[in-house]
Amino acid sequence: MSNQKQQKPTLTGQRFKTRKRDEKERFDPSQFQESIVQGLNQSGTDLEAVAKFLDASGAKLDYRRYAETLFDILVAGGMLAPGGTLSDDMTCTDFCLFKAQEDMETMQAYAQVFNKLIRRYKYLEKGFEEEIKKLLLFLKGFTESERNKLAMLTGILLANGNISASILSSLFNENLVKEGVSASFAVKLFKSWLSEKDINSVGGSLRKVGMDNRLMELFPANKRSCEHFSKYFTDAGLKELSDFVRNQQSIGARKELQKELQEQMSRGDPLKDIILSMREETKKNNISEQTMIGLIWSCVMGSVEWNKKEELVTEQAIKHLKQYSPLLKAFTSQGLSERTLLLKIQEYCYDNIHFMKAFQKIVVLLYKADVLSEEPILKWFNEAHLAKGKSVFLEQMKTFVEWLRNAEEESESEEEEAD
């Protein structure tokens, strides 16, 4: 028997039939467009009929593959070429968003059409968001009326949660920003959004995707200031948006300032340098002394690993605060700042249980260091304290307050005698 393997006979000329699902269908949106346009023309301006047609067509037409074409037609009446112009070589329809009436009621009805479509075919969700991003990049190719309708619709969709506020990143495109298209579009969009939701809801959506601190990018770099933003949107009737952005800027500046102060303290920079630097920053960022003293207090108290034993932590706190009293003093030039600091101390001692017995000693130390004065302490004691641990803290302060009152009376009587 031969060891050599015998060559097996091969069949020639046989054709294998490929499965239909394995065949790569050629991308051809023209037939798809014909079907959608025909259905929209038959439905006309009846948006209920449009929604029903789109719902039923999803079973016969390949929405997954031609999602972009579908959304182009519903918005602009036909497929859009790059830049936002309609493709000439295909049938278009006049029954679309851009040809509809320019009012909120009509735009809300269109938003419902998109809402129903996406709820029925969940896989269209991502494609729809991509479509809105693309349309925003094409704004220069649309008429003013088309932009207005798109802005109103986008505002409603954002309010309904159909799309994420991350789509706004398209408005930061350099060409749109430079020509003022982004800012004017944003006015219409936010007016529409705020007609459906309040500023807290809008702010929450912006924060969720990190857009709350990026709205300045709607303007060119040379106009990217809080003052310019505030004036532009306030003049356009959107003061609440201006206030929101101003507040966000302030929060951002405070965070940066806190970070800088923590770094300066950990490096052991001289207090006079820290005070100088903080004063410059507060002036530059228009931060009030009251805000500043709260920020300094939290940095000073957060820069130490505190002893867990109650009897030792007070001694540690007094030593630490004595060192930083010049910094605290530099930002308590007003009675209101002193009262703010007293409330911060009360809050801190209440929230950190080991400090409950340290409150009075801290206040006395800061009084002796000229950080706190009689009047704010007495006002705090009589009426301006927080509810947090008030019985404990008021009891601790009784003797000192009594002493302050007597000292005040004595000085008054001495003044009268001198007169």
Side-chain angles (χ1 to χ4, degrees), residues 258 261 265 289-303 306 317 320-321 324 327-328 331-332 337 340-349 352 355 358-359 362-363 365-366 371-372:
Q258 194 160 1
L261 180 55
M265 285 166 71
E289 193 179 79
Q290 293 82 57
T291 302
M292 201 59 205
I293 194 63
L295 192 145
I296 290 168
W297 170 260
S298 65
C299 280
V300 166
M301 297 309 277
S303 66
W306 295 109
H320 181 63
L321 286 167
Y324 282 103
L327 178 59
L328 294 164
F331 291 91
T332 47
S337 311
T340 302
L341 178 57
L342 275 162
L343 295 177
K344 290 287 177 190
I345 298 167
Q346 182 185 348
E347 211 166 18
Y348 188 87
C349 291
N352 298 275
F355 281 82
F359 180 77
I362 291 172
V363 174
L365 166 82
L366 296 177
V371 176
L372 297 171

mmCIF file of all heavy atoms in Angstrom, residues 258 261 265 289-303 306 317 320-321 324 327-328 331-332 337 340-349 352 355 358-359 362-363 365-366 371-372:
data_model
loop_
_atom_site.group_PDB
_atom_site.id
_atom_site.type_symbol
_atom_site.label_atom_id
_atom_site.label_comp_id
_atom_site.label_asym_id
_atom_site.label_seq_id
_atom_site.Cartn_x
_atom_site.Cartn_y
_atom_site.Cartn_z
ATOM 1 N N GLN A 258 -9.621 78.568 45.185
ATOM 2 C CA GLN A 258 -9.455 77.629 46.308
ATOM 3 C C GLN A 258 -8.259 76.707 46.062
ATOM 4 O O GLN A 258 -7.446 76.477 46.957
ATOM 5 C CB GLN A 258 -10.738 76.805 46.471
ATOM 6 C CG GLN A 258 -10.798 76.060 47.779
ATOM 7 C CD GLN A 258 -12.222 75.661 48.135
ATOM 8 O OE1 GLN A 258 -13.160 75.931 47.403
ATOM 9 N NE2 GLN A 258 -12.395 75.028 49.271
ATOM 10 N N LEU A 261 -5.053 78.691 46.520
ATOM 11 C CA LEU A 261 -4.793 78.956 47.939
ATOM 12 C C LEU A 261 -4.263 77.705 48.644
ATOM 13 O O LEU A 261 -3.310 77.765 49.425
ATOM 14 C CB LEU A 261 -6.082 79.451 48.613
ATOM 15 C CG LEU A 261 -6.023 79.782 50.106
ATOM 16 C CD1 LEU A 261 -4.935 80.794 50.424
ATOM 17 C CD2 LEU A 261 -7.374 80.302 50.602
ATOM 18 N N MET A 265 -0.634 77.374 50.480
ATOM 19 C CA MET A 265 -0.521 76.973 51.886
ATOM 20 C C MET A 265 0.344 75.723 52.038
ATOM 21 O O MET A 265 1.162 75.625 52.945
ATOM 22 C CB MET A 265 -1.919 76.747 52.483
ATOM 23 C CG MET A 265 -2.652 78.050 52.760
ATOM 24 S SD MET A 265 -4.409 77.818 53.075
ATOM 25 C CE MET A 265 -4.335 77.058 54.678
ATOM 26 N N GLU A 289 -16.048 89.880 49.640
ATOM 27 C CA GLU A 289 -15.251 89.532 50.819
ATOM 28 C C GLU A 289 -15.918 88.406 51.612
ATOM 29 O O GLU A 289 -15.247 87.535 52.162
ATOM 30 C CB GLU A 289 -15.057 90.770 51.708
ATOM 31 C CG GLU A 289 -13.979 90.559 52.773
ATOM 32 C CD GLU A 289 -13.737 91.761 53.643
ATOM 33 O OE1 GLU A 289 -14.545 91.987 54.581
ATOM 34 O OE2 GLU A 289 -12.746 92.471 53.412
ATOM 35 N N GLN A 290 -17.258 88.416 51.632
ATOM 36 C CA GLN A 290 -17.995 87.363 52.361
ATOM 37 C C GLN A 290 -17.741 85.982 51.749
ATOM 38 O O GLN A 290 -17.503 85.006 52.454
ATOM 39 C CB GLN A 290 -19.509 87.626 52.340
ATOM 40 C CG GLN A 290 -19.950 88.845 53.123
ATOM 41 C CD GLN A 290 -19.780 90.130 52.314
ATOM 42 O OE1 GLN A 290 -20.322 90.252 51.222
ATOM 43 N NE2 GLN A 290 -19.040 91.092 52.832
ATOM 44 N N THR A 291 -17.762 85.941 50.421
ATOM 45 C CA THR A 291 -17.481 84.668 49.730
ATOM 46 C C THR A 291 -16.044 84.243 50.017
ATOM 47 O O THR A 291 -15.760 83.077 50.274
ATOM 48 C CB THR A 291 -17.689 84.843 48.206
ATOM 49 O OG1 THR A 291 -19.024 85.267 47.990
ATOM 50 C CG2 THR A 291 -17.439 83.553 47.451
ATOM 51 N N MET A 292 -15.162 85.218 49.984
ATOM 52 C CA MET A 292 -13.734 84.958 50.160
ATOM 53 C C MET A 292 -13.408 84.412 51.544
ATOM 54 O O MET A 292 -12.626 83.473 51.685
ATOM 55 C CB MET A 292 -12.970 86.266 49.907
ATOM 56 C CG MET A 292 -11.527 86.065 49.562
ATOM 57 S SD MET A 292 -11.320 85.055 48.104
ATOM 58 C CE MET A 292 -9.699 84.413 48.419
ATOM 59 N N ILE A 293 -14.036 84.988 52.598
ATOM 60 C CA ILE A 293 -13.715 84.541 53.951
ATOM 61 C C ILE A 293 -14.192 83.101 54.169
ATOM 62 O O ILE A 293 -13.526 82.309 54.849
ATOM 63 C CB ILE A 293 -14.274 85.510 55.046
ATOM 64 C CG1 ILE A 293 -13.631 85.207 56.413
ATOM 65 C CG2 ILE A 293 -15.784 85.463 55.157
ATOM 66 C CD1 ILE A 293 -12.146 85.414 56.498
ATOM 67 N N GLY A 294 -15.323 82.748 53.539
ATOM 68 C CA GLY A 294 -15.809 81.369 53.631
ATOM 69 C C GLY A 294 -14.850 80.396 52.967
ATOM 70 O O GLY A 294 -14.552 79.314 53.485
ATOM 71 N N LEU A 295 -14.335 80.827 51.825
ATOM 72 C CA LEU A 295 -13.385 80.014 51.062
ATOM 73 C C LEU A 295 -12.068 79.838 51.838
ATOM 74 O O LEU A 295 -11.519 78.734 51.918
ATOM 75 C CB LEU A 295 -13.155 80.730 49.737
ATOM 76 C CG LEU A 295 -12.435 80.028 48.612
ATOM 77 C CD1 LEU A 295 -13.029 80.450 47.287
ATOM 78 C CD2 LEU A 295 -10.957 80.363 48.611
ATOM 79 N N ILE A 296 -11.583 80.939 52.446
ATOM 80 C CA ILE A 296 -10.327 80.884 53.209
ATOM 81 C C ILE A 296 -10.490 79.984 54.430
ATOM 82 O O ILE A 296 -9.621 79.161 54.728
ATOM 83 C CB ILE A 296 -9.870 82.313 53.624
ATOM 84 C CG1 ILE A 296 -9.407 83.084 52.384
ATOM 85 C CG2 ILE A 296 -8.744 82.263 54.656
ATOM 86 C CD1 ILE A 296 -9.197 84.572 52.603
ATOM 87 N N TRP A 297 -11.633 80.138 55.120
ATOM 88 C CA TRP A 297 -11.890 79.309 56.312
ATOM 89 C C TRP A 297 -11.823 77.820 55.955
ATOM 90 O O TRP A 297 -11.167 77.039 56.627
ATOM 91 C CB TRP A 297 -13.248 79.657 56.929
ATOM 92 C CG TRP A 297 -13.678 78.681 57.997
ATOM 93 C CD1 TRP A 297 -14.552 77.651 57.870
ATOM 94 C CD2 TRP A 297 -13.203 78.611 59.357
ATOM 95 N NE1 TRP A 297 -14.676 76.953 59.036
ATOM 96 C CE2 TRP A 297 -13.855 77.519 59.980
ATOM 97 C CE3 TRP A 297 -12.298 79.360 60.096
ATOM 98 C CZ2 TRP A 297 -13.643 77.156 61.310
ATOM 99 C CZ3 TRP A 297 -12.085 78.995 61.434
ATOM 100 C CH2 TRP A 297 -12.737 77.920 62.022
ATOM 101 N N SER A 298 -12.508 77.426 54.875
ATOM 102 C CA SER A 298 -12.521 75.993 54.518
ATOM 103 C C SER A 298 -11.133 75.505 54.107
ATOM 104 O O SER A 298 -10.753 74.375 54.392
ATOM 105 C CB SER A 298 -13.572 75.682 53.447
ATOM 106 O OG SER A 298 -13.252 76.315 52.256
ATOM 107 N N CYS A 299 -10.340 76.375 53.458
ATOM 108 C CA CYS A 299 -8.969 75.986 53.081
ATOM 109 C C CYS A 299 -8.074 75.835 54.314
ATOM 110 O O CYS A 299 -7.301 74.880 54.420
ATOM 111 C CB CYS A 299 -8.357 77.030 52.147
ATOM 112 S SG CYS A 299 -8.879 76.878 50.457
ATOM 113 N N VAL A 300 -8.190 76.801 55.241
ATOM 114 C CA VAL A 300 -7.376 76.769 56.461
ATOM 115 C C VAL A 300 -7.693 75.505 57.274
ATOM 116 O O VAL A 300 -6.791 74.796 57.727
ATOM 117 C CB VAL A 300 -7.610 78.052 57.311
ATOM 118 C CG1 VAL A 300 -7.045 77.898 58.720
ATOM 119 C CG2 VAL A 300 -6.969 79.258 56.627
ATOM 120 N N MET A 301 -8.994 75.211 57.413
ATOM 121 C CA MET A 301 -9.395 74.039 58.218
ATOM 122 C C MET A 301 -9.170 72.720 57.477
ATOM 123 O O MET A 301 -9.066 71.659 58.101
ATOM 124 C CB MET A 301 -10.864 74.165 58.635
ATOM 125 C CG MET A 301 -11.152 75.361 59.536
ATOM 126 S SD MET A 301 -10.059 75.477 60.978
ATOM 127 C CE MET A 301 -10.868 74.370 62.110
ATOM 128 N N GLY A 302 -9.092 72.805 56.157
ATOM 129 C CA GLY A 302 -8.893 71.578 55.376
ATOM 130 C C GLY A 302 -7.433 71.233 55.146
ATOM 131 O O GLY A 302 -7.109 70.204 54.542
ATOM 132 N N SER A 303 -6.539 72.098 55.639
ATOM 133 C CA SER A 303 -5.108 71.874 55.367
ATOM 134 C C SER A 303 -4.411 71.068 56.459
ATOM 135 O O SER A 303 -3.202 70.919 56.455
ATOM 136 C CB SER A 303 -4.398 73.233 55.212
ATOM 137 O OG SER A 303 -4.421 73.936 56.439
ATOM 138 N N TRP A 306 -6.596 66.480 61.491
ATOM 139 C CA TRP A 306 -6.986 66.778 62.869
ATOM 140 C C TRP A 306 -6.923 65.567 63.786
ATOM 141 O O TRP A 306 -7.214 64.448 63.372
ATOM 142 C CB TRP A 306 -8.402 67.366 62.908
ATOM 143 C CG TRP A 306 -8.506 68.692 62.228
ATOM 144 C CD1 TRP A 306 -9.128 68.943 61.047
ATOM 145 C CD2 TRP A 306 -7.962 69.937 62.666
ATOM 146 N NE1 TRP A 306 -9.012 70.262 60.705
ATOM 147 C CE2 TRP A 306 -8.297 70.907 61.680
ATOM 148 C CE3 TRP A 306 -7.209 70.343 63.770
ATOM 149 C CZ2 TRP A 306 -7.919 72.238 61.786
ATOM 150 C CZ3 TRP A 306 -6.842 71.678 63.874
ATOM 151 C CH2 TRP A 306 -7.188 72.613 62.898
ATOM 152 N N ALA A 317 -6.266 73.151 67.127
ATOM 153 C CA ALA A 317 -6.995 74.147 66.332
ATOM 154 C C ALA A 317 -6.557 75.567 66.694
ATOM 155 O O ALA A 317 -6.344 76.409 65.806
ATOM 156 C CB ALA A 317 -8.501 73.999 66.549
ATOM 157 N N HIS A 320 -3.136 76.278 65.258
ATOM 158 C CA HIS A 320 -3.223 76.387 63.793
ATOM 159 C C HIS A 320 -3.858 77.726 63.390
ATOM 160 O O HIS A 320 -3.354 78.430 62.499
ATOM 161 C CB HIS A 320 -4.041 75.205 63.258
ATOM 162 C CG HIS A 320 -4.197 75.178 61.762
ATOM 163 N ND1 HIS A 320 -3.127 75.043 60.905
ATOM 164 C CD2 HIS A 320 -5.298 75.303 60.972
ATOM 165 C CE1 HIS A 320 -3.562 75.073 59.652
ATOM 166 N NE2 HIS A 320 -4.882 75.218 59.670
ATOM 167 N N LEU A 321 -4.976 78.091 64.040
ATOM 168 C CA LEU A 321 -5.684 79.324 63.678
ATOM 169 C C LEU A 321 -4.897 80.574 64.058
ATOM 170 O O LEU A 321 -5.022 81.609 63.407
ATOM 171 C CB LEU A 321 -7.072 79.339 64.331
ATOM 172 C CG LEU A 321 -8.088 78.390 63.667
ATOM 173 C CD1 LEU A 321 -9.321 78.219 64.524
ATOM 174 C CD2 LEU A 321 -8.484 78.862 62.271
ATOM 175 N N TYR A 324 -2.721 81.350 61.208
ATOM 176 C CA TYR A 324 -3.394 81.882 60.014
ATOM 177 C C TYR A 324 -4.310 83.072 60.296
ATOM 178 O O TYR A 324 -5.005 83.537 59.392
ATOM 179 C CB TYR A 324 -4.180 80.761 59.308
ATOM 180 C CG TYR A 324 -3.274 79.864 58.492
ATOM 181 C CD1 TYR A 324 -2.911 78.599 58.960
ATOM 182 C CD2 TYR A 324 -2.759 80.292 57.274
ATOM 183 C CE1 TYR A 324 -2.053 77.785 58.228
ATOM 184 C CE2 TYR A 324 -1.910 79.496 56.537
ATOM 185 C CZ TYR A 324 -1.557 78.242 57.010
ATOM 186 O OH TYR A 324 -0.711 77.454 56.279
ATOM 187 N N LEU A 327 -4.272 86.071 57.879
ATOM 188 C CA LEU A 327 -4.961 85.823 56.604
ATOM 189 C C LEU A 327 -6.470 86.037 56.779
ATOM 190 O O LEU A 327 -7.124 86.662 55.940
ATOM 191 C CB LEU A 327 -4.670 84.387 56.123
ATOM 192 C CG LEU A 327 -5.345 83.920 54.827
ATOM 193 C CD1 LEU A 327 -4.958 84.799 53.647
ATOM 194 C CD2 LEU A 327 -4.976 82.459 54.521
ATOM 195 N N LEU A 328 -7.024 85.521 57.870
ATOM 196 C CA LEU A 328 -8.453 85.695 58.148
ATOM 197 C C LEU A 328 -8.774 87.172 58.377
ATOM 198 O O LEU A 328 -9.787 87.678 57.913
ATOM 199 C CB LEU A 328 -8.866 84.857 59.366
ATOM 200 C CG LEU A 328 -8.790 83.329 59.200
ATOM 201 C CD1 LEU A 328 -8.841 82.625 60.537
ATOM 202 C CD2 LEU A 328 -9.907 82.811 58.291
ATOM 203 N N PHE A 331 -9.393 89.529 55.402
ATOM 204 C CA PHE A 331 -10.644 89.430 54.645
ATOM 205 C C PHE A 331 -11.883 89.530 55.545
ATOM 206 O O PHE A 331 -12.923 88.965 55.236
ATOM 207 C CB PHE A 331 -10.650 88.134 53.817
ATOM 208 C CG PHE A 331 -9.645 88.171 52.697
ATOM 209 C CD1 PHE A 331 -8.350 87.688 52.899
ATOM 210 C CD2 PHE A 331 -9.950 88.736 51.477
ATOM 211 C CE1 PHE A 331 -7.396 87.743 51.883
ATOM 212 C CE2 PHE A 331 -9.004 88.806 50.457
ATOM 213 C CZ PHE A 331 -7.725 88.313 50.663
ATOM 214 N N THR A 332 -11.723 90.233 56.684
ATOM 215 C CA THR A 332 -12.880 90.518 57.547
ATOM 216 C C THR A 332 -12.916 92.001 57.894
ATOM 217 O O THR A 332 -13.013 92.380 59.048
ATOM 218 C CB THR A 332 -12.838 89.660 58.846
ATOM 219 O OG1 THR A 332 -11.514 89.743 59.400
ATOM 220 C CG2 THR A 332 -13.218 88.224 58.616
ATOM 221 N N SER A 337 -18.743 90.293 56.757
ATOM 222 C CA SER A 337 -17.727 89.237 56.581
ATOM 223 C C SER A 337 -17.456 88.534 57.912
ATOM 224 O O SER A 337 -17.282 87.316 57.958
ATOM 225 C CB SER A 337 -16.420 89.826 56.050
ATOM 226 O OG SER A 337 -16.661 90.640 54.946
ATOM 227 N N THR A 340 -20.307 86.264 58.578
ATOM 228 C CA THR A 340 -20.182 85.088 57.684
ATOM 229 C C THR A 340 -19.186 84.094 58.283
ATOM 230 O O THR A 340 -19.452 82.888 58.319
ATOM 231 C CB THR A 340 -19.695 85.529 56.274
ATOM 232 O OG1 THR A 340 -20.617 86.465 55.753
ATOM 233 C CG2 THR A 340 -19.576 84.345 55.331
ATOM 234 N N LEU A 341 -18.061 84.616 58.773
ATOM 235 C CA LEU A 341 -17.044 83.749 59.376
ATOM 236 C C LEU A 341 -17.589 83.049 60.623
ATOM 237 O O LEU A 341 -17.373 81.852 60.803
ATOM 238 C CB LEU A 341 -15.790 84.570 59.717
ATOM 239 C CG LEU A 341 -14.643 83.812 60.404
ATOM 240 C CD1 LEU A 341 -14.180 82.613 59.574
ATOM 241 C CD2 LEU A 341 -13.459 84.739 60.687
ATOM 242 N N LEU A 342 -18.321 83.781 61.461
ATOM 243 C CA LEU A 342 -18.913 83.175 62.667
ATOM 244 C C LEU A 342 -19.846 82.014 62.309
ATOM 245 O O LEU A 342 -19.828 80.967 62.955
ATOM 246 C CB LEU A 342 -19.688 84.236 63.460
ATOM 247 C CG LEU A 342 -18.855 85.068 64.438
ATOM 248 C CD1 LEU A 342 -19.596 86.330 64.833
ATOM 249 C CD2 LEU A 342 -18.488 84.250 65.676
ATOM 250 N N LEU A 343 -20.639 82.208 61.272
ATOM 251 C CA LEU A 343 -21.552 81.137 60.834
ATOM 252 C C LEU A 343 -20.780 79.940 60.287
ATOM 253 O O LEU A 343 -21.166 78.790 60.493
ATOM 254 C CB LEU A 343 -22.530 81.670 59.780
ATOM 255 C CG LEU A 343 -23.522 82.743 60.258
ATOM 256 C CD1 LEU A 343 -24.376 83.238 59.104
ATOM 257 C CD2 LEU A 343 -24.406 82.233 61.378
ATOM 258 N N LYS A 344 -19.684 80.223 59.582
ATOM 259 C CA LYS A 344 -18.838 79.140 59.052
ATOM 260 C C LYS A 344 -18.212 78.346 60.205
ATOM 261 O O LYS A 344 -18.108 77.121 60.143
ATOM 262 C CB LYS A 344 -17.732 79.706 58.148
ATOM 263 C CG LYS A 344 -18.220 80.272 56.837
ATOM 264 C CD LYS A 344 -18.626 79.178 55.882
ATOM 265 C CE LYS A 344 -19.178 79.744 54.579
ATOM 266 N NZ LYS A 344 -19.794 78.716 53.749
ATOM 267 N N ILE A 345 -17.781 79.064 61.260
ATOM 268 C CA ILE A 345 -17.171 78.387 62.423
ATOM 269 C C ILE A 345 -18.228 77.526 63.111
ATOM 270 O O ILE A 345 -17.972 76.365 63.450
ATOM 271 C CB ILE A 345 -16.586 79.432 63.412
ATOM 272 C CG1 ILE A 345 -15.472 80.243 62.745
ATOM 273 C CG2 ILE A 345 -16.046 78.739 64.671
ATOM 274 C CD1 ILE A 345 -15.034 81.491 63.516
ATOM 275 N N GLN A 346 -19.443 78.094 63.279
ATOM 276 C CA GLN A 346 -20.532 77.342 63.924
ATOM 277 C C GLN A 346 -20.845 76.071 63.134
ATOM 278 O O GLN A 346 -20.978 74.990 63.695
ATOM 279 C CB GLN A 346 -21.785 78.214 64.031
ATOM 280 C CG GLN A 346 -22.945 77.491 64.731
ATOM 281 C CD GLN A 346 -24.227 78.302 64.747
ATOM 282 O OE1 GLN A 346 -24.247 79.493 64.445
ATOM 283 N NE2 GLN A 346 -25.326 77.654 65.112
ATOM 284 N N GLU A 347 -20.954 76.229 61.822
ATOM 285 C CA GLU A 347 -21.273 75.101 60.943
ATOM 286 C C GLU A 347 -20.187 74.018 61.033
ATOM 287 O O GLU A 347 -20.479 72.830 61.135
ATOM 288 C CB GLU A 347 -21.378 75.625 59.500
ATOM 289 C CG GLU A 347 -22.358 74.866 58.657
ATOM 290 C CD GLU A 347 -22.688 75.621 57.367
ATOM 291 O OE1 GLU A 347 -21.934 76.542 56.960
ATOM 292 O OE2 GLU A 347 -23.696 75.271 56.778
ATOM 293 N N TYR A 348 -18.935 74.475 61.002
ATOM 294 C CA TYR A 348 -17.802 73.539 61.030
ATOM 295 C C TYR A 348 -17.772 72.757 62.353
ATOM 296 O O TYR A 348 -17.600 71.541 62.354
ATOM 297 C CB TYR A 348 -16.483 74.295 60.832
ATOM 298 C CG TYR A 348 -15.298 73.368 60.663
ATOM 299 C CD1 TYR A 348 -14.953 72.889 59.403
ATOM 300 C CD2 TYR A 348 -14.548 72.933 61.762
ATOM 301 C CE1 TYR A 348 -13.894 72.018 59.230
ATOM 302 C CE2 TYR A 348 -13.482 72.065 61.605
ATOM 303 C CZ TYR A 348 -13.161 71.610 60.340
ATOM 304 O OH TYR A 348 -12.117 70.730 60.174
ATOM 305 N N CYS A 349 -17.940 73.476 63.458
ATOM 306 C CA CYS A 349 -17.888 72.811 64.778
ATOM 307 C C CYS A 349 -19.051 71.845 64.971
ATOM 308 O O CYS A 349 -18.925 70.824 65.644
ATOM 309 C CB CYS A 349 -17.885 73.850 65.902
ATOM 310 S SG CYS A 349 -16.347 74.790 65.971
ATOM 311 N N ASN A 352 -18.330 68.718 62.504
ATOM 312 C CA ASN A 352 -17.186 67.905 62.950
ATOM 313 C C ASN A 352 -17.261 67.771 64.470
ATOM 314 O O ASN A 352 -16.829 68.656 65.205
ATOM 315 C CB ASN A 352 -15.870 68.567 62.527
ATOM 316 C CG ASN A 352 -15.772 68.677 61.014
ATOM 317 O OD1 ASN A 352 -15.358 67.750 60.331
ATOM 318 N ND2 ASN A 352 -16.191 69.810 60.463
ATOM 319 N N PHE A 355 -15.114 69.020 67.372
ATOM 320 C CA PHE A 355 -14.937 70.457 67.567
ATOM 321 C C PHE A 355 -16.068 71.107 68.369
ATOM 322 O O PHE A 355 -16.034 72.309 68.604
ATOM 323 C CB PHE A 355 -14.831 71.158 66.197
ATOM 324 C CG PHE A 355 -13.482 71.029 65.554
ATOM 325 C CD1 PHE A 355 -13.142 69.887 64.834
ATOM 326 C CD2 PHE A 355 -12.538 72.035 65.676
ATOM 327 C CE1 PHE A 355 -11.890 69.754 64.234
ATOM 328 C CE2 PHE A 355 -11.290 71.926 65.084
ATOM 329 C CZ PHE A 355 -10.958 70.774 64.371
ATOM 330 N N ALA A 358 -14.926 73.191 71.089
ATOM 331 C CA ALA A 358 -13.866 74.144 70.732
ATOM 332 C C ALA A 358 -14.400 75.491 70.267
ATOM 333 O O ALA A 358 -13.651 76.460 70.155
ATOM 334 C CB ALA A 358 -12.990 73.540 69.641
ATOM 335 N N PHE A 359 -15.716 75.579 70.000
ATOM 336 C CA PHE A 359 -16.303 76.779 69.386
ATOM 337 C C PHE A 359 -15.923 78.067 70.125
ATOM 338 O O PHE A 359 -15.375 78.997 69.544
ATOM 339 C CB PHE A 359 -17.830 76.631 69.304
ATOM 340 C CG PHE A 359 -18.510 77.819 68.697
ATOM 341 C CD1 PHE A 359 -18.493 78.023 67.328
ATOM 342 C CD2 PHE A 359 -19.155 78.762 69.490
ATOM 343 C CE1 PHE A 359 -19.109 79.130 66.757
ATOM 344 C CE2 PHE A 359 -19.772 79.872 68.930
ATOM 345 C CZ PHE A 359 -19.751 80.048 67.561
ATOM 346 N N ILE A 362 -12.263 79.102 69.915
ATOM 347 C CA ILE A 362 -11.895 79.618 68.575
ATOM 348 C C ILE A 362 -12.348 81.068 68.435
ATOM 349 O O ILE A 362 -11.592 81.935 67.984
ATOM 350 C CB ILE A 362 -12.509 78.732 67.455
ATOM 351 C CG1 ILE A 362 -11.837 77.346 67.439
ATOM 352 C CG2 ILE A 362 -12.379 79.400 66.089
ATOM 353 C CD1 ILE A 362 -12.490 76.331 66.509
ATOM 354 N N VAL A 363 -13.589 81.357 68.852
ATOM 355 C CA VAL A 363 -14.129 82.719 68.747
ATOM 356 C C VAL A 363 -13.298 83.692 69.590
ATOM 357 O O VAL A 363 -12.943 84.782 69.129
ATOM 358 C CB VAL A 363 -15.625 82.757 69.153
ATOM 359 C CG1 VAL A 363 -16.145 84.194 69.189
ATOM 360 C CG2 VAL A 363 -16.468 81.928 68.168
ATOM 361 N N LEU A 365 -10.172 83.378 70.565
ATOM 362 C CA LEU A 365 -8.858 83.552 69.931
ATOM 363 C C LEU A 365 -8.942 84.582 68.804
ATOM 364 O O LEU A 365 -8.106 85.486 68.710
ATOM 365 C CB LEU A 365 -8.350 82.217 69.371
ATOM 366 C CG LEU A 365 -7.171 82.351 68.394
ATOM 367 C CD1 LEU A 365 -5.852 82.489 69.144
ATOM 368 C CD2 LEU A 365 -7.113 81.211 67.410
ATOM 369 N N LEU A 366 -9.973 84.434 67.941
ATOM 370 C CA LEU A 366 -10.105 85.335 66.782
ATOM 371 C C LEU A 366 -10.493 86.749 67.215
ATOM 372 O O LEU A 366 -10.172 87.721 66.535
ATOM 373 C CB LEU A 366 -11.105 84.763 65.768
ATOM 374 C CG LEU A 366 -10.685 83.428 65.119
ATOM 375 C CD1 LEU A 366 -11.760 82.908 64.186
ATOM 376 C CD2 LEU A 366 -9.357 83.547 64.365
ATOM 377 N N VAL A 371 -9.603 89.549 64.479
ATOM 378 C CA VAL A 371 -10.315 89.033 63.297
ATOM 379 C C VAL A 371 -11.801 89.305 63.483
ATOM 380 O O VAL A 371 -12.508 89.710 62.562
ATOM 381 C CB VAL A 371 -10.052 87.512 63.107
ATOM 382 C CG1 VAL A 371 -10.877 86.962 61.951
ATOM 383 C CG2 VAL A 371 -8.570 87.253 62.885
ATOM 384 N N LEU A 372 -12.314 89.077 64.696
ATOM 385 C CA LEU A 372 -13.723 89.312 65.033
ATOM 386 C C LEU A 372 -13.818 90.460 66.029
ATOM 387 O O LEU A 372 -12.955 90.617 66.892
ATOM 388 C CB LEU A 372 -14.340 88.045 65.643
ATOM 389 C CG LEU A 372 -14.400 86.794 64.756
ATOM 390 C CD1 LEU A 372 -14.831 85.593 65.550
ATOM 391 C CD2 LEU A 372 -15.313 87.009 63.552
#
